[in-house]
Amino acid sequence: MKKVTSIKYLLWDIDGTLLNFELAEDKAIHSCFCDFKLGNCTNEMLEKSGLNEVFDDVFISEEIGFEKPSVDYYKKVFQRIGSNNSEEYLMIGDSLTSDMQGGNNVGIMTCWFNPREKKNDTNIRVDYEISDLKEIIGILLN
């Protein structure tokens, strides 16, 4: 398992309502995230959730011109952030085939948010698996 010591950018794709609740209700999560640049890799649904202000940048597939898990999608994200160093990123998402596969495609670490504790019956590599967003604190501060 890779170490997260060089992580600077957290790329998210988790249901906006859930994320809003977690960030608003848990000060430990919120303060932990202050040490990282937050990018939301999502579609237009984020704008409807009212969470735009939580993220440093939002990467909407329709605007970028590519969808996850496309390598081209991540190239555009990296270009906009200004870093191509794959060791600086952690992709946190709830989809194996989009979020985790996309992270695999570009060689960045992945964290699968799996609150229903589904079994990973695929060949998709997952570096970390969490069922509660609070678990991300231990990963990031490790």
Side-chain angles (χ1 to χ4, degrees):
M1 186 171 301
K2 297 178 182 178
K3 297 279 186 187
V4 296
T5 54
S6 58
I7 295 295
K8 294 181 183 176
Y9 308 102
L10 304 178
L11 302 178
W12 288 87
D13 189 355
I14 296 175
D15 177 77
T17 306
L18 174 66
L19 184 60
N20 189 24
F21 173 78
E22 293 285 351
L23 285 175
E25 298 296 321
D26 196 305
K27 294 190 186 324
I29 290 176
H30 186 71
S31 64
C32 177
F33 291 159
C34 291
D35 294 334
F36 301 91
K37 294 274 189 194
L38 298 177
N40 193 285
C41 300
T42 188
N43 55 29
E44 297 164 343
M45 295 296 288
L46 180 73
E47 293 178 30
K48 297 175 185 173
S49 74
L51 286 174
N52 289 19
E53 66 277 357
V54 172
F55 296 96
D56 296 297
D57 208 341
V58 177
F59 308 103
I60 298 173
S61 301
E62 293 83 357
E63 292 175 5
I64 287 183
F66 302 98
E67 294 183 2
K68 294 178 290 161
S70 166
V71 169
D72 292 322
Y73 173 88
Y74 287 92
K75 283 182 181 179
K76 293 278 190 176
V77 168
F78 296 168
Q79 182 180 31
R80 216 155 96 186
I81 289 174
S83 173
N84 288 320
N85 184 350
S86 62
E87 293 180 2
E88 295 181 338
Y89 294 91
L90 176 64
M91 178 70 213
I92 305 165
D94 56 5
S95 169
L96 282 170
T97 57
S98 177
D99 306 323
M100 301 304 101
Q101 184 62 59
N104 281 216
N105 290 348
V106 293
I108 65 175
M109 282 188 284
T110 59
C111 179
W112 183 29
F113 178 59
N114 183 14
R116 292 185 181 93
E117 299 182 353
K118 297 177 188 173
K119 186 176 180 187
N120 181 356
D121 289 329
T122 71
N123 291 327
I124 298 171
R125 186 195 85 247
V126 173
D127 295 304
Y128 299 95
E129 182 176 338
I130 59 174
S131 59
D132 185 318
L133 282 179
K134 293 174 187 157
E135 294 173 73
I136 198 72
I137 295 171
I139 293 169
L140 295 174
L141 299 179
N142 185 5

Coordinates of all heavy atoms in Angstrom, one line a residue, residues 17-72:
T17 N -25.0 15.5 -1.2 CA -25.8 15.6 0.0 C -25.1 15.0 1.2 O -25.0 15.6 2.3 CB -27.2 14.9 -0.1 OG1 -27.8 15.5 -1.3 CG2 -28.0 15.1 1.1
L18 N -24.5 13.8 1.0 CA -23.8 13.1 2.0 C -22.5 13.9 2.4 O -22.3 14.1 3.6 CB -23.3 11.7 1.5 CG -22.4 10.9 2.4 CD1 -23.2 10.6 3.7 CD2 -21.9 9.7 1.7
L19 N -21.8 14.4 1.4 CA -20.6 15.1 1.7 C -20.9 16.4 2.5 O -20.2 16.8 3.4 CB -19.8 15.5 0.4 CG -18.5 16.2 0.5 CD1 -17.5 15.3 1.4 CD2 -17.9 16.5 -0.8
N20 N -22.0 17.1 2.1 CA -22.4 18.3 2.8 C -22.7 18.0 4.2 O -22.2 18.7 5.1 CB -23.7 18.9 2.1 CG -24.0 20.2 2.6 OD1 -23.2 21.0 3.1 ND2 -25.3 20.6 2.5
F21 N -23.4 17.0 4.5 CA -23.7 16.6 5.9 C -22.4 16.3 6.7 O -22.2 16.8 7.8 CB -24.6 15.3 5.9 CG -24.7 14.8 7.3 CD1 -25.6 15.4 8.2 CD2 -24.0 13.7 7.7 CE1 -25.8 14.9 9.5 CE2 -24.2 13.2 9.0 CZ -25.1 13.8 9.9
E22 N -21.5 15.5 6.1 CA -20.3 15.1 6.8 C -19.4 16.3 7.0 O -18.8 16.5 8.1 CB -19.5 14.1 5.9 CG -20.1 12.8 5.8 CD -20.0 11.9 7.0 OE1 -19.3 12.3 8.0 OE2 -20.7 10.9 7.1
L23 N -19.2 17.2 6.1 CA -18.4 18.4 6.3 C -19.0 19.4 7.3 O -18.3 20.0 8.1 CB -18.1 19.1 5.0 CG -17.1 18.4 4.0 CD1 -17.1 19.2 2.7 CD2 -15.7 18.4 4.6
A24 N -20.3 19.5 7.2 CA -20.9 20.5 8.1 C -21.0 20.0 9.6 O -20.8 20.7 10.5 CB -22.3 20.8 7.6
E25 N -21.2 18.7 9.7 CA -21.4 18.1 11.1 C -20.1 17.7 11.8 O -20.1 17.6 13.0 CB -22.3 16.9 11.0 CG -23.7 17.2 10.4 CD -24.5 18.2 11.4 OE1 -24.4 18.0 12.6 OE2 -25.1 19.1 10.8
D26 N -19.0 17.5 11.1 CA -17.8 16.9 11.7 C -16.7 17.9 11.5 O -16.1 18.0 10.5 CB -17.5 15.6 11.1 CG -16.5 14.8 12.0 OD1 -15.4 15.4 12.3 OD2 -16.8 13.7 12.3
K27 N -16.4 18.6 12.6 CA -15.3 19.6 12.5 C -13.9 19.0 12.3 O -13.0 19.6 11.7 CB -15.3 20.5 13.8 CG -16.6 21.3 13.9 CD -16.4 22.3 15.1 CE -17.7 23.1 15.4 NZ -18.5 23.5 14.3
A28 N -13.7 17.7 12.8 CA -12.4 17.0 12.6 C -12.2 16.8 11.1 O -11.1 17.0 10.6 CB -12.4 15.7 13.3
I29 N -13.2 16.4 10.4 CA -13.1 16.2 8.9 C -12.8 17.5 8.3 O -11.9 17.6 7.5 CB -14.4 15.5 8.3 CG1 -14.5 14.1 8.8 CG2 -14.4 15.6 6.8 CD1 -15.8 13.4 8.4
H30 N -13.6 18.5 8.6 CA -13.4 19.8 8.0 C -12.0 20.4 8.2 O -11.3 20.8 7.3 CB -14.4 20.8 8.5 CG -14.4 22.1 7.8 ND1 -14.9 22.3 6.5 CD2 -14.0 23.3 8.2 CE1 -14.7 23.5 6.2 NE2 -14.2 24.2 7.2
S31 N -11.5 20.3 9.4 CA -10.2 20.8 9.7 C -9.1 20.0 9.1 O -8.1 20.6 8.7 CB -9.9 20.9 11.3 OG -9.9 19.7 11.8
C32 N -9.3 18.7 9.0 CA -8.3 17.9 8.3 C -8.2 18.2 6.8 O -7.1 18.3 6.3 CB -8.7 16.4 8.4 SG -7.6 15.2 7.6
F33 N -9.3 18.5 6.2 CA -9.3 18.8 4.8 C -8.7 20.2 4.5 O -8.3 20.5 3.4 CB -10.7 18.8 4.2 CG -11.3 17.4 4.1 CD1 -12.6 17.2 4.1 CD2 -10.5 16.3 4.2 CE1 -13.2 15.9 4.0 CE2 -11.0 15.0 4.1 CZ -12.3 14.9 4.0
C34 N -8.6 21.1 5.5 CA -8.0 22.4 5.3 C -6.5 22.3 4.9 O -6.0 23.3 4.3 CB -8.2 23.2 6.5 SG -9.9 23.7 6.9
D35 N -5.9 21.2 5.2 CA -4.5 21.1 4.8 C -4.3 20.6 3.3 O -3.1 20.5 2.9 CB -3.8 20.0 5.7 CG -3.8 20.5 7.2 OD1 -3.7 21.7 7.4 OD2 -3.7 19.6 8.0
F36 N -5.3 20.4 2.6 CA -5.3 19.9 1.3 C -6.1 20.8 0.3 O -7.0 21.4 0.7 CB -5.8 18.5 1.2 CG -5.1 17.5 2.1 CD1 -5.5 17.3 3.4 CD2 -4.0 16.8 1.6 CE1 -4.8 16.4 4.2 CE2 -3.3 16.0 2.5 CZ -3.7 15.8 3.8
K37 N -5.7 20.8 -1.0 CA -6.5 21.4 -2.0 C -7.6 20.4 -2.4 O -7.3 19.2 -2.6 CB -5.7 21.7 -3.2 CG -4.6 22.7 -3.0 CD -5.2 24.1 -3.2 CE -4.0 25.1 -3.2 NZ -4.5 26.4 -3.1
L38 N -8.8 20.8 -2.4 CA -9.9 19.9 -2.7 C -10.5 20.2 -4.1 O -10.8 21.4 -4.4 CB -11.1 20.1 -1.7 CG -10.8 19.8 -0.2 CD1 -12.0 20.1 0.6 CD2 -10.4 18.4 0.0
G39 N -10.6 19.2 -4.9 CA -11.2 19.3 -6.2 C -12.3 18.3 -6.3 O -12.2 17.2 -5.8
N40 N -13.4 18.8 -6.9 CA -14.6 17.9 -7.0 C -14.6 17.4 -8.5 O -14.8 18.3 -9.4 CB -15.8 18.6 -6.6 CG -17.0 17.6 -6.5 OD1 -17.5 17.1 -7.5 ND2 -17.3 17.2 -5.3
C41 N -14.6 16.1 -8.7 CA -14.6 15.5 -10.0 C -16.1 15.0 -10.2 O -16.3 13.9 -9.7 CB -13.6 14.4 -10.2 SG -11.9 14.9 -10.0
T42 N -16.9 15.7 -10.8 CA -18.3 15.4 -10.8 C -19.0 15.9 -12.0 O -18.3 16.3 -13.0 CB -19.0 16.0 -9.5 OG1 -20.3 15.4 -9.4 CG2 -19.0 17.5 -9.5
N43 N -20.3 15.8 -12.0 CA -21.1 16.4 -13.1 C -21.8 17.6 -12.6 O -21.5 18.2 -11.5 CB -22.0 15.3 -13.6 CG -22.9 14.8 -12.6 OD1 -23.2 15.4 -11.6 ND2 -23.3 13.5 -12.7
E44 N -22.8 18.1 -13.3 CA -23.5 19.3 -12.9 C -24.3 19.2 -11.6 O -24.7 20.2 -11.1 CB -24.4 19.7 -14.1 CG -23.6 20.0 -15.4 CD -24.5 20.0 -16.6 OE1 -25.6 19.5 -16.5 OE2 -24.1 20.5 -17.6
M45 N -24.4 18.1 -11.0 CA -25.2 17.9 -9.8 C -24.6 18.7 -8.6 O -25.3 19.1 -7.8 CB -25.3 16.4 -9.4 CG -26.0 15.6 -10.4 SD -27.7 16.0 -10.5 CE -28.3 15.4 -9.0
L46 N -23.3 18.9 -8.6 CA -22.7 19.7 -7.5 C -23.2 21.1 -7.4 O -23.5 21.5 -6.3 CB -21.1 19.7 -7.7 CG -20.4 20.5 -6.6 CD1 -20.4 19.7 -5.3 CD2 -19.0 20.9 -7.0
E47 N -23.5 21.7 -8.5 CA -24.0 23.1 -8.4 C -25.3 23.1 -7.7 O -25.6 24.1 -7.0 CB -24.1 23.7 -9.9 CG -22.7 23.9 -10.5 CD -22.8 24.4 -11.9 OE1 -23.8 25.1 -12.2 OE2 -21.9 24.1 -12.7
K48 N -26.1 22.1 -7.9 CA -27.4 22.0 -7.3 C -27.3 21.7 -5.8 O -28.2 22.0 -5.0 CB -28.3 21.0 -8.0 CG -28.6 21.3 -9.4 CD -29.3 20.2 -10.1 CE -29.5 20.5 -11.6 NZ -30.1 19.3 -12.3
S49 N -26.2 21.2 -5.3 CA -26.1 20.8 -3.9 C -25.6 22.0 -3.1 O -25.7 21.9 -1.8 CB -25.0 19.7 -3.8 OG -23.7 20.2 -4.0
G50 N -25.1 23.0 -3.7 CA -24.7 24.2 -2.9 C -23.3 24.0 -2.3 O -22.9 24.7 -1.4
L51 N -22.5 23.0 -2.8 CA -21.2 22.8 -2.2 C -20.0 23.4 -2.9 O -18.9 23.2 -2.6 CB -21.0 21.2 -2.1 CG -21.8 20.5 -1.0 CD1 -21.6 19.0 -1.2 CD2 -21.4 21.0 0.3
N52 N -20.3 24.2 -3.9 CA -19.2 24.8 -4.7 C -18.2 25.4 -3.9 O -17.0 25.4 -4.2 CB -19.8 25.7 -5.7 CG -20.5 25.1 -6.8 OD1 -21.0 23.9 -6.7 ND2 -20.7 25.8 -7.9
E53 N -18.6 26.1 -2.8 CA -17.7 26.9 -2.0 C -16.7 26.0 -1.2 O -15.7 26.5 -0.7 CB -18.4 27.9 -1.1 CG -19.3 27.2 0.0 CD -20.6 26.8 -0.5 OE1 -21.0 27.0 -1.7 OE2 -21.4 26.2 0.3
V54 N -17.0 24.8 -1.0 CA -16.2 23.9 -0.2 C -14.9 23.5 -1.0 O -13.9 23.3 -0.4 CB -17.0 22.6 0.2 CG1 -16.1 21.6 0.8 CG2 -18.2 22.9 1.1
F55 N -15.0 23.5 -2.3 CA -13.9 23.0 -3.1 C -13.1 24.1 -3.7 O -13.6 25.2 -4.0 CB -14.5 22.1 -4.2 CG -15.1 20.9 -3.7 CD1 -16.5 20.8 -3.5 CD2 -14.4 19.8 -3.3 CE1 -17.1 19.7 -3.0 CE2 -15.0 18.7 -2.8 CZ -16.4 18.6 -2.6
D56 N -11.8 23.9 -3.8 CA -10.9 24.8 -4.5 C -11.2 24.9 -6.0 O -11.0 25.9 -6.6 CB -9.5 24.5 -4.3 CG -9.1 24.6 -2.8 OD1 -9.2 25.7 -2.2 OD2 -8.8 23.5 -2.2
D57 N -11.6 23.8 -6.6 CA -12.0 23.8 -8.0 C -13.0 22.6 -8.2 O -13.1 21.7 -7.4 CB -10.7 23.5 -8.8 CG -10.8 24.1 -10.2 OD1 -12.0 24.4 -10.7 OD2 -9.8 24.3 -10.9
V58 N -13.7 22.8 -9.3 CA -14.7 21.8 -9.6 C -14.5 21.4 -11.1 O -14.3 22.2 -11.9 CB -16.2 22.3 -9.5 CG1 -17.2 21.3 -9.9 CG2 -16.4 22.7 -8.0
F59 N -14.4 20.1 -11.3 CA -14.0 19.5 -12.6 C -15.2 18.8 -13.2 O -15.5 17.6 -12.9 CB -12.8 18.6 -12.5 CG -11.7 19.3 -11.8 CD1 -11.4 19.0 -10.5 CD2 -10.9 20.2 -12.5 CE1 -10.3 19.6 -9.9 CE2 -9.9 20.9 -11.8 CZ -9.6 20.5 -10.5
I60 N -16.0 19.5 -14.0 CA -17.3 19.0 -14.5 C -17.0 18.3 -15.9 O -16.4 19.0 -16.8 CB -18.3 20.1 -14.6 CG1 -18.6 20.6 -13.2 CG2 -19.6 19.5 -15.3 CD1 -19.6 21.8 -13.2
S61 N -17.3 17.1 -16.0 CA -17.1 16.3 -17.2 C -17.5 17.0 -18.4 O -16.8 17.0 -19.4 CB -17.8 14.9 -17.1 OG -17.3 14.2 -16.0
E62 N -18.7 17.5 -18.4 CA -19.3 18.2 -19.6 C -18.4 19.4 -20.0 O -18.3 19.7 -21.2 CB -20.7 18.6 -19.3 CG -21.7 17.5 -19.2 CD -21.7 16.9 -17.7 OE1 -20.9 17.3 -16.9 OE2 -22.5 16.0 -17.5
E63 N -17.8 20.1 -19.1 CA -17.0 21.2 -19.4 C -15.6 20.8 -19.8 O -15.0 21.5 -20.7 CB -16.9 22.2 -18.2 CG -18.2 22.9 -17.8 CD -18.1 23.7 -16.6 OE1 -17.0 23.8 -16.0 OE2 -19.2 24.2 -16.1
I64 N -15.1 19.8 -19.2 CA -13.7 19.3 -19.5 C -13.7 18.6 -20.9 O -12.7 18.7 -21.6 CB -13.2 18.4 -18.4 CG1 -12.9 19.2 -17.2 CG2 -12.0 17.6 -18.9 CD1 -12.3 18.5 -16.1
G65 N -14.8 18.0 -21.3 CA -14.9 17.4 -22.6 C -14.6 15.9 -22.6 O -14.6 15.2 -23.6
F66 N -14.3 15.4 -21.4 CA -14.1 13.9 -21.2 C -14.7 13.5 -19.9 O -14.9 14.3 -19.0 CB -12.6 13.6 -21.1 CG -11.8 14.1 -22.3 CD1 -11.1 15.3 -22.3 CD2 -11.8 13.3 -23.5 CE1 -10.4 15.7 -23.5 CE2 -11.1 13.7 -24.6 CZ -10.4 14.9 -24.6
E67 N -15.0 12.2 -19.8 CA -15.5 11.6 -18.6 C -14.6 10.7 -17.9 O -13.7 10.1 -18.6 CB -16.9 10.9 -18.9 CG -18.0 11.8 -19.4 CD -19.3 11.1 -19.6 OE1 -19.3 9.9 -19.4 OE2 -20.2 11.7 -20.0
K68 N -14.7 10.5 -16.6 CA -13.9 9.5 -15.9 C -14.5 8.1 -16.4 O -15.7 8.0 -16.7 CB -14.1 9.6 -14.4 CG -13.5 10.8 -13.8 CD -13.7 10.9 -12.3 CE -15.2 11.1 -12.2 NZ -15.9 10.9 -11.0
P69 N -13.7 7.1 -16.6 CA -12.3 7.0 -16.2 C -11.2 7.4 -17.2 O -10.1 6.9 -17.1 CB -12.2 5.5 -15.8 CG -13.1 4.9 -16.8 CD -14.2 5.9 -17.0
S70 N -11.6 8.2 -18.2 CA -10.7 8.5 -19.3 C -9.4 9.2 -18.8 O -9.5 10.1 -17.9 CB -11.4 9.5 -20.2 OG -10.5 10.1 -21.1
V71 N -8.3 8.8 -19.3 CA -7.0 9.4 -19.0 C -7.0 10.9 -19.4 O -6.5 11.7 -18.7 CB -5.8 8.6 -19.7 CG1 -4.5 9.4 -19.6 CG2 -5.7 7.2 -19.1
D72 N -7.7 11.2 -20.5 CA -7.8 12.6 -20.9 C -8.5 13.4 -19.9 O -8.2 14.6 -19.8 CB -8.5 12.6 -22.3 CG -7.6 12.0 -23.4 OD1 -6.4 12.2 -23.4 OD2 -8.2 11.3 -24.3

